Amino acid sequence: MTQVAFQGQAINLTGQFPQTGTQAPEFTLCGAELNEVTLETLKGKKTVLNIFPSVDTPVCAASVREFNKKVTEVNDAAVVCISADLPFAMARFCGAEGIENVQSASFFRSPEFAEAYGVKLAEGPLAGLAARAVVVLDEEGRVIHSELVSEITDVPNYDAAMEALR
């Protein structure tokens, strides 16, 4: 079983984290407009899946802000920020922060997403939420970079994710 840490405490994850070179698992998430966001709707451009527990935490909020800035450095790329947060909460956060370059998606209707991507926290105070991870997809939905952040309270390697987009 894969583990990450939350404030130094080991936490088990369920599922299999996608590895570079594999096809990304299919998913259906709820977008900011209550629309469906699927792997199929993302095809055609390289995409960063920025997965995290909740935008209501400082590190998660920082990752949304940072990817919002960095995605403008790459042509024809997208960033989807994914958590269990309700679409209304993500929209409120993005509106208050002036975030316009990333799209948000929630797995509140599709809890199987976290397990399909191997990021479901199986125990601990955040059980049921997602661990922090970044999965970069090519135009066809194939994984070209993946990072499961070993400590949930740490930021991902933004530079490695952005390099994969180039």
Side-chain angles (χ1 to χ4, degrees), residues 118-140:
V119 296
K120 183 177 180 181
L121 297 165
E123 58 196 12
L126 301 179
L129 298 179
R132 185 174 318 288
V134 173
V135 179
V136 182
L137 309 175
D138 70 9
E139 296 87 347
E140 296 302 316

Side-chain angles (χ1 to χ4, degrees), residues 19-98:
Q19 299 300 307
T20 300
T22 63
Q23 183 64 34
E26 295 289 334
F27 58 80
T28 300
L29 302 170
C30 183
E33 311 292 315
L34 303 180
N35 57 309
E36 287 188 348
V37 177
T38 67
L39 185 60
E40 188 62 34
T41 64
L42 298 174
K43 286 187 177 175
K45 61 173 59 177
K46 289 183 180 179
T47 304
V48 173
L49 303 179
N50 176 31
I51 305 166
F52 51 86
S54 174
V55 75
D56 286 325
T57 66
V59 178
C60 299
S63 75
V64 174
R65 289 183 198 106
E66 190 65 19
F67 276 120
N68 183 63
K69 286 190 286 192
K70 288 193 172 289
V71 73
T72 62
E73 301 169 6
V74 181
N75 290 330
D76 205 30
V79 174
V80 182
C81 296
I82 303 170
S83 70
D85 292 312
L86 292 176
F88 314 113
M90 282 295 292
R92 184 177 56 250
F93 172 81
C94 290
E97 296 281 332

